[in-house]
C-alpha cells in the first residue's frame, strides 16, 4: 500500500510542477517574450494545454474571475495538494 501512496503523491507532485510550467509559459507567450513559431514551444504549450485546460475550464465556470484576475490555476494547485494530503491521511488510516 505504501508504494501506491508514493505513486499517487509523485504523480500529483509532477502534475503541480507541470501546471507551474504551463502557467509560466502561457504568461511568457501572452507578453511576447516567447515566440510561438518555435516548434518546441508550440508542442509544449499544446501538450500542457491538453492536460490542464479542460480542468481549468471547469474551475473557471464554478469560480469566476476575481477583479479581472483568473485564479483557476491557484485553485487547481490547492486541489492537487489537498488530494495529496487526502491520500496520505487515507493511507495512515489503513494501518
Amino acid at each position: 500500500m505504501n508504494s501506491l501512496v508514493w505513486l499517487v503523491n509523485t504523480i500529483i507532485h509532477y502534475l503541480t510542477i507541470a501546471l507551474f510550467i504551463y502557467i509560466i509559459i502561457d504568461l511568457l507567450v501572452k507578453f511576447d517574450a516567447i515566440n510561438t513559431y518555435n516548434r518546441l514551444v508550440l508542442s509544449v504549450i499544446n501538450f500542457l494545454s491538453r492536460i490542464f485546460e479542460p480542468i481549468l475550464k471547469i474551475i473557471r465556470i464554478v469560480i469566476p474571475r476575481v477583479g479581472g484576475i483568473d485564479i483557476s490555476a491557484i485553485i487547481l494547485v490547492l486541489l492537487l495538494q489537498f488530494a495529496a494530503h487526502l491520500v496520505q491521511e487515507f493511507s495512515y488510516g489503513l494501518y
Side-chain angles (χ1 to χ4, degrees):
M1 189 61 151
N2 284 337
S3 58
L4 184 62
V5 171
W6 173 83
L7 179 66
V8 171
N9 282 334
T10 303
I11 290 171
I12 291 173
H13 177 72
Y14 285 125
L15 278 174
T16 305
I17 291 171
L19 178 62
F20 280 123
I21 291 170
Y22 175 64
I23 293 167
I24 291 169
I25 289 176
D26 190 46
L27 284 174
L28 290 174
V29 166
K30 287 181 182 176
F31 288 123
D32 271 340
I34 293 180
N35 193 353
T36 56
Y37 295 117
N38 186 343
R39 293 193 65 124
L40 176 67
V41 172
L42 188 61
S43 63
V44 169
I45 290 172
N46 285 336
F47 175 73
L48 292 175
S49 70
R50 287 182 184 180
I51 293 173
F52 292 114
E53 277 304 318
I55 303 167
L56 291 173
K57 283 182 184 178
I58 294 171
I59 295 173
R60 288 178 190 134
I61 291 170
V62 174
I63 300 173
R65 293 178 181 241
V66 177
I69 299 173
D70 184 19
I71 61 168
S72 60
I74 296 169
I75 301 296
L76 183 57
V77 168
L78 291 174
L79 288 174
L80 286 171
Q81 295 303 312
F82 176 73
H85 287 284
L86 195 64
V87 167
Q88 284 182 347
E89 287 179 10
F90 179 70
S91 70
Y92 292 144
L94 292 177
Y95 295 113

